[in-house]
PDB file of all heavy atoms in Angstrom:
ATOM      1  N   ARG A 772       6.032  32.049 -15.050  1.00 97.00           N
ATOM      2  CA  ARG A 772       4.824  32.767 -15.018  1.00 97.00           C
ATOM      3  C   ARG A 772       4.058  32.664 -16.291  1.00 97.00           C
ATOM      4  O   ARG A 772       4.638  32.587 -17.441  1.00 97.00           O
ATOM      5  CB  ARG A 772       5.091  34.290 -14.740  1.00 97.00           C
ATOM      6  CG  ARG A 772       5.188  34.605 -13.209  1.00 97.00           C
ATOM      7  CD  ARG A 772       5.383  36.106 -13.132  1.00 97.00           C
ATOM      8  NE  ARG A 772       4.440  36.934 -13.595  1.00 97.00           N
ATOM      9  CZ  ARG A 772       4.615  37.863 -14.505  1.00 97.00           C
ATOM     10  NH1 ARG A 772       5.795  38.226 -14.946  1.00 97.00           N
ATOM     11  NH2 ARG A 772       3.615  38.754 -14.957  1.00 97.00           N
ATOM     12  N   PRO A 773       2.732  32.449 -16.297  1.00 96.00           N
ATOM     13  CA  PRO A 773       1.854  32.262 -17.518  1.00 96.00           C
ATOM     14  C   PRO A 773       2.035  33.421 -18.467  1.00 96.00           C
ATOM     15  O   PRO A 773       2.046  33.190 -19.747  1.00 96.00           O
ATOM     16  CB  PRO A 773       0.422  32.214 -16.890  1.00 96.00           C
ATOM     17  CG  PRO A 773       0.643  31.731 -15.539  1.00 96.00           C
ATOM     18  CD  PRO A 773       1.856  32.367 -15.073  1.00 96.00           C
ATOM     19  N   GLU A 774       2.292  34.667 -17.909  1.00 96.00           N
ATOM     20  CA  GLU A 774       2.290  35.814 -18.893  1.00 96.00           C
ATOM     21  C   GLU A 774       3.552  35.628 -19.853  1.00 96.00           C
ATOM     22  O   GLU A 774       3.609  35.985 -20.950  1.00 96.00           O
ATOM     23  CB  GLU A 774       2.433  37.135 -18.128  1.00 96.00           C
ATOM     24  CG  GLU A 774       1.165  37.492 -17.217  1.00 96.00           C
ATOM     25  CD  GLU A 774       1.104  36.878 -15.965  1.00 96.00           C
ATOM     26  OE1 GLU A 774       1.963  35.951 -15.662  1.00 96.00           O
ATOM     27  OE2 GLU A 774       0.288  37.304 -15.128  1.00 96.00           O
ATOM     28  N   ILE A 775       4.591  35.057 -19.208  1.00 97.00           N
ATOM     29  CA  ILE A 775       5.904  34.952 -19.967  1.00 97.00           C
ATOM     30  C   ILE A 775       5.729  33.652 -20.973  1.00 97.00           C
ATOM     31  O   ILE A 775       6.243  33.733 -21.993  1.00 97.00           O
ATOM     32  CB  ILE A 775       7.109  34.816 -19.026  1.00 97.00           C
ATOM     33  CG1 ILE A 775       7.343  35.915 -18.282  1.00 97.00           C
ATOM     34  CG2 ILE A 775       8.350  34.224 -19.702  1.00 97.00           C
ATOM     35  CD1 ILE A 775       8.538  35.886 -17.215  1.00 97.00           C
ATOM     36  N   GLN A 776       4.996  32.660 -20.450  1.00 97.00           N
ATOM     37  CA  GLN A 776       4.858  31.496 -21.380  1.00 97.00           C
ATOM     38  C   GLN A 776       4.086  31.905 -22.641  1.00 97.00           C
ATOM     39  O   GLN A 776       4.130  31.529 -23.685  1.00 97.00           O
ATOM     40  CB  GLN A 776       4.018  30.291 -20.540  1.00 97.00           C
ATOM     41  CG  GLN A 776       4.934  29.712 -19.469  1.00 97.00           C
ATOM     42  CD  GLN A 776       4.096  28.639 -18.844  1.00 97.00           C
ATOM     43  OE1 GLN A 776       3.589  27.714 -19.438  1.00 97.00           O
ATOM     44  NE2 GLN A 776       4.014  28.673 -17.523  1.00 97.00           N
ATOM     45  N   ALA A 777       3.069  32.952 -22.322  1.00 96.00           N
ATOM     46  CA  ALA A 777       2.301  33.383 -23.527  1.00 96.00           C
ATOM     47  C   ALA A 777       3.000  34.366 -24.401  1.00 96.00           C
ATOM     48  O   ALA A 777       2.722  34.576 -25.615  1.00 96.00           O
ATOM     49  CB  ALA A 777       0.981  34.062 -22.912  1.00 96.00           C
ATOM     50  N   ASN A 778       4.045  35.111 -23.799  1.00 97.00           N
ATOM     51  CA  ASN A 778       4.714  36.141 -24.533  1.00 97.00           C
ATOM     52  C   ASN A 778       6.110  36.332 -23.944  1.00 97.00           C
ATOM     53  O   ASN A 778       6.341  36.898 -23.028  1.00 97.00           O
ATOM     54  CB  ASN A 778       3.950  37.473 -24.421  1.00 97.00           C
ATOM     55  CG  ASN A 778       4.520  38.526 -25.411  1.00 97.00           C
ATOM     56  OD1 ASN A 778       5.538  38.486 -25.971  1.00 97.00           O
ATOM     57  ND2 ASN A 778       3.830  39.720 -25.403  1.00 97.00           N
ATOM     58  N   VAL A 779       7.122  35.801 -24.875  1.00 97.00           N
ATOM     59  CA  VAL A 779       8.478  35.888 -24.442  1.00 97.00           C
ATOM     60  C   VAL A 779       9.123  37.221 -24.348  1.00 97.00           C
ATOM     61  O   VAL A 779      10.201  37.454 -23.920  1.00 97.00           O
ATOM     62  CB  VAL A 779       9.381  34.885 -25.238  1.00 97.00           C
ATOM     63  CG1 VAL A 779       9.057  33.420 -25.070  1.00 97.00           C
ATOM     64  CG2 VAL A 779       9.295  35.319 -26.734  1.00 97.00           C
ATOM     65  N   ASN A 780       8.317  38.238 -24.924  1.00 95.00           N
ATOM     66  CA  ASN A 780       8.813  39.605 -24.984  1.00 95.00           C
ATOM     67  C   ASN A 780       8.836  40.069 -23.407  1.00 95.00           C
ATOM     68  O   ASN A 780       9.538  41.113 -23.166  1.00 95.00           O
ATOM     69  CB  ASN A 780       7.877  40.559 -25.774  1.00 95.00           C
ATOM     70  CG  ASN A 780       8.052  40.366 -27.231  1.00 95.00           C
ATOM     71  OD1 ASN A 780       9.045  39.745 -27.747  1.00 95.00           O
ATOM     72  ND2 ASN A 780       7.289  40.804 -28.057  1.00 95.00           N
ATOM     73  N   PHE A 781       8.096  39.445 -22.601  1.00 96.00           N
ATOM     74  CA  PHE A 781       8.094  39.862 -21.109  1.00 96.00           C
ATOM     75  C   PHE A 781       9.288  39.256 -20.327  1.00 96.00           C
ATOM     76  O   PHE A 781       9.264  39.467 -19.093  1.00 96.00           O
ATOM     77  CB  PHE A 781       6.762  39.501 -20.500  1.00 96.00           C
ATOM     78  CG  PHE A 781       5.633  40.397 -20.944  1.00 96.00           C
ATOM     79  CD1 PHE A 781       4.381  39.872 -21.345  1.00 96.00           C
ATOM     80  CD2 PHE A 781       5.631  41.749 -20.817  1.00 96.00           C
ATOM     81  CE1 PHE A 781       3.418  40.539 -21.862  1.00 96.00           C
ATOM     82  CE2 PHE A 781       4.697  42.568 -21.367  1.00 96.00           C
ATOM     83  CZ  PHE A 781       3.440  42.027 -21.826  1.00 96.00           C
ATOM     84  N   ILE A 782      10.087  38.598 -21.040  1.00 97.00           N
ATOM     85  CA  ILE A 782      11.409  38.054 -20.360  1.00 97.00           C
ATOM     86  C   ILE A 782      12.282  39.389 -20.310  1.00 97.00           C
ATOM     87  O   ILE A 782      12.583  39.945 -21.213  1.00 97.00           O
ATOM     88  CB  ILE A 782      12.074  36.840 -21.068  1.00 97.00           C
ATOM     89  CG1 ILE A 782      11.181  35.759 -21.090  1.00 97.00           C
ATOM     90  CG2 ILE A 782      13.448  36.781 -20.465  1.00 97.00           C
ATOM     91  CD1 ILE A 782      11.812  34.527 -21.877  1.00 97.00           C
ATOM     92  N   ASN A 783      12.626  39.728 -18.995  1.00 97.00           N
ATOM     93  CA  ASN A 783      13.401  40.964 -18.837  1.00 97.00           C
ATOM     94  C   ASN A 783      14.843  40.782 -18.887  1.00 97.00           C
ATOM     95  O   ASN A 783      15.585  40.096 -18.117  1.00 97.00           O
ATOM     96  CB  ASN A 783      13.031  41.517 -17.516  1.00 97.00           C
ATOM     97  CG  ASN A 783      11.660  41.913 -17.222  1.00 97.00           C
ATOM     98  OD1 ASN A 783      10.994  42.044 -18.309  1.00 97.00           O
ATOM     99  ND2 ASN A 783      11.171  41.927 -16.009  1.00 97.00           N
ATOM    100  N   ALA A 784      15.394  41.221 -20.049  1.00 96.00           N
ATOM    101  CA  ALA A 784      16.943  41.088 -20.169  1.00 96.00           C
ATOM    102  C   ALA A 784      17.557  42.374 -19.795  1.00 96.00           C
ATOM    103  O   ALA A 784      18.761  42.401 -19.476  1.00 96.00           O
ATOM    104  CB  ALA A 784      17.176  40.704 -21.685  1.00 96.00           C
ATOM    105  N   GLY A 785      16.817  43.509 -19.959  1.00 95.00           N
ATOM    106  CA  GLY A 785      17.460  44.830 -19.620  1.00 95.00           C
ATOM    107  C   GLY A 785      16.782  45.470 -18.495  1.00 95.00           C
ATOM    108  O   GLY A 785      16.086  44.755 -17.605  1.00 95.00           O
ATOM    109  N   ARG A 786      16.825  46.840 -18.429  1.00 94.00           N
ATOM    110  CA  ARG A 786      16.254  47.497 -17.394  1.00 94.00           C
ATOM    111  C   ARG A 786      15.994  49.002 -17.809  1.00 94.00           C
ATOM    112  O   ARG A 786      16.528  49.403 -18.822  1.00 94.00           O
ATOM    113  CB  ARG A 786      17.077  47.588 -16.046  1.00 94.00           C
ATOM    114  CG  ARG A 786      18.486  48.236 -16.218  1.00 94.00           C
ATOM    115  CD  ARG A 786      19.242  48.089 -15.069  1.00 94.00           C
ATOM    116  NE  ARG A 786      18.744  48.563 -13.873  1.00 94.00           N
ATOM    117  CZ  ARG A 786      18.775  49.895 -13.476  1.00 94.00           C
ATOM    118  NH1 ARG A 786      19.536  50.704 -14.234  1.00 94.00           N
ATOM    119  NH2 ARG A 786      18.262  50.280 -12.362  1.00 94.00           N
TER     120      ARG A 786
END
Side-chain angles (χ1 to χ4, degrees):
R772 273 181 60 233
E774 294 87 345
I775 289 177
Q776 295 183 49
N778 186 353
V779 293
N780 286 347
F781 287 126
I782 296 177
N783 297 339
R786 63 188 300 275

